[in-house]
């Protein structure tokens, strides 16, 4: 191993170490004191409930960093106040959504709504059973205007409940704490509802509001406790004595669910990569502008390190080809990050999409759709090539073809942001707007319109021009100070944690977890047979 490899390895392992440190903090939710208070009430935390429900440790978490460094004036909202995992219950793959009562009593912030909707979206796209573990005080009132009335707000949850029911997607809800106001509809719009005795309650208005509204004096347990809803109102189907009893009942219900119609994606015996997966840390450059061979990364992600390249010598700044990941057949579309030389003797920059590479990717995506092969996009892209040669060659037209193919693809798509994800390159390589079934980022990822340095130079020109108009003198020292300030602000926004906080990605993952994410994602997608043919629509030839 050379010195550069060792430096890269140290840098990337530090990034993964920082990821683990941040995640350990997130797992505490509202803090140890609030966890202890839950335990004193005989309740489990959201994460303890999910861990007890799932079969083993083979799970992936969606949106762990949702809300990171957001809502500071409101005390923060770790993990969006809700925990979401895809895992296995009695051998059946499910998605589980659990309110975290240690975070503002499980109240819904705007990001909480977005994360819940993302969980439902995953369930709908993949026809995956969904289990809700409800323990929430409802909408966070100080921010009600940002969570209540719009299309993608709180009410969309119940609309999705109804849609999933009509699609035959199993929904099970356990009320394990508060379930109030509009939130009371979620468990009752599920297929089956459980409630925990003494700690669970469901009502449209609590005892204080009832007293204020109609003058009736009643306690919450009599108003909407487990006995009321299991024996009088008939709102719930099962009464559990405690959290574990409720979770055991869910396990028994899931155990009886029949098999599902499969999409029929190809899977064979799984083999680990022959190349050492840990080498990824040393191969991935410390600096985002440095060149490297993406093929070296691919060989450490795919079974037996076997990769069949499609159009190997053409459009070389995008790599396309077939492989298997954990036994699943996949078509890989990846940005080549090293400088390449064309047959015409021209040099092309790594990470840039040229006319020929866009054309190649479009054809490959169409082929995968025809053969029913899921697509995996490995992003490290700075954008499309600019300049007169590219424009005269029709780069916009070729780029539009690729975006068209990605948009209309009917096979499931999975996106891993390895490094840069800039500008229209993000779109063409299946960014969040293009409906990947799952999108995850490595700690080395950057998502933005352009790099921090490029953006800072543009913004500096605008700001200095504005200051000069006001009569201010811009010295070289002042210009550097402005540049550093602008770049620092912009660099914060291109961080993978900034993106994960806003659920632009589903997770930040250790590169060594990439195979598990893709495999579990395709397994989930296999629950949903493809129902429409691939059609590119109208494109400029």
């Amino acid at each position: 191993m050379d010195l550069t490899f060792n430096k890269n390895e140290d840098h990337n392992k530090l990034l993964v170490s920082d990821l683990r440190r941040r995640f350990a903090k997130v797992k505490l939710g509202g803090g140890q004191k609030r966890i202890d208070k839950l335990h004193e009430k005989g309740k489990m935390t959201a994460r303890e409930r999910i861990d007890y429900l799932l079969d083993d440790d083979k799970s992936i978490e969606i949106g762990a960093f949702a809300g990171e460094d957001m809502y500071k004036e409101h005390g923060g909202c770790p993990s969006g106040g809700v925990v979401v995992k895809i895992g296995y219950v009695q051998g059946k793959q499910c998605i589980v959504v659990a309110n975290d009562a240690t975070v503002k009593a499980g109240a819904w912030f705007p990001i909480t709504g977005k994360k819940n909707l993302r969980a439902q979206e995953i369930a709908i796209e993949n026809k995956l059973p969904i289990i809700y573990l409800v323990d929430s005080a409802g909408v966070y009132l100080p921010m009600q205007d940002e969570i209540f009335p719009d299309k993608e707000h709180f009410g969309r949850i119940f609309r999705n409940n109804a849609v999933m029911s009509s699609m035959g997607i199993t929904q099970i809800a356990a009320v394990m704490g508060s379930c109030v106001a509009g939130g009371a509809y979620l468990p009752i719009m599920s297929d089956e509802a459980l409630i925990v005795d003494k700690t669970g309650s469901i009502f449209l208005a609590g005892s204080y509001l009832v007293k204020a509204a109609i003058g009736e004096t009643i306690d919450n347990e009599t108003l909407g406790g487990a006995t009321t809803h299991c024996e009088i109102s008939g709102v719930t189907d099962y009464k559990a004595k405690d959290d574990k009893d409720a979770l055991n009942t869910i396990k028994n219900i899931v155990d009886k669910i029949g098999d599902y119609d499969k999409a029929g994606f190809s899977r064979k015996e799984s083999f680990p990569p022959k190349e050492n997966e840990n080498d990824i840390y040393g191969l991935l450059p410390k600096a985002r502008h440095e060149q490297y061979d993406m093929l070296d990364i691919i060989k450490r992600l795919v079974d037996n390190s076997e990769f069949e390249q499609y159009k190997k010598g053409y459009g070389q700044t995008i790599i396309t080809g077939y492989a298997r990941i954990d036994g699943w057949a996949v078509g890989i579309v990846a940005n080549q990050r090293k400088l390449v030389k064309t047959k015409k003797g021209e040099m092309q920059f790594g990470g840039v999409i040229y006319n020929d590479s866009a054309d190649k990717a479009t054809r490959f995506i169409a082929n995968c759709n025809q053969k029913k092969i899921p697509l995996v996009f490995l992003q490290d892209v700075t954008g499309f090539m600019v300049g007169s040669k590219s424009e005269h060659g029709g780069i916009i037209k070729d780029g539009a073809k690729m975006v068209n193919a990605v948009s209309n693809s009917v096979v499931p798509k999975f996106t891993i942001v390895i490094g840069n994800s800039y500008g229209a390159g993000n779109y063409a390589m299946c960014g969040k707007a293009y409906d990947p079934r799952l999108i995850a980022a490595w700690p080395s990822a950057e998502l933005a319109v352009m790099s921090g340095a490029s953006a800072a130079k543009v913004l500096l020109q605008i700001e200095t021009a504005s200051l000069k108009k006001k009569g201010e003198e811009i010295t070289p020292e002042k210009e550097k100070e402005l540049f550093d300030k602008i770049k620092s602000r912009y660099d914060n926004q291109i961080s993978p944690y900034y993106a994960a906080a806003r659920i632009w990605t589903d997770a930040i993952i250790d590169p060594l977890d990439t195979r598990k994410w893709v495999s579990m994602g395709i397994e989930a997608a296999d629950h949903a047979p493809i129902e429409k043919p691939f059609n590119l629509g109208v494109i400029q030839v």
Side-chain angles (χ1 to χ4, degrees), residues 81-103:
V82 62
V83 182
V84 177
K85 288 190 179 184
I86 299 175
Y88 301 86
V89 179
Q90 300 297 93
K92 291 182 173 62
Q93 196 178 43
C94 302
I95 185 163
V96 186
V97 181
N99 301 114
D100 187 348
T102 69
V103 180

Side-chain angles (χ1 to χ4, degrees), residues 249-267:
T249 302
I250 293 173
K251 290 183 181 184
N252 290 333
I253 294 169
V254 173
D255 182 57
K256 310 303 186 294
I257 297 173
D259 204 357
Y260 55 89
D261 294 332
K262 295 176 175 62
F265 304 122
S266 172
R267 191 178 200 185

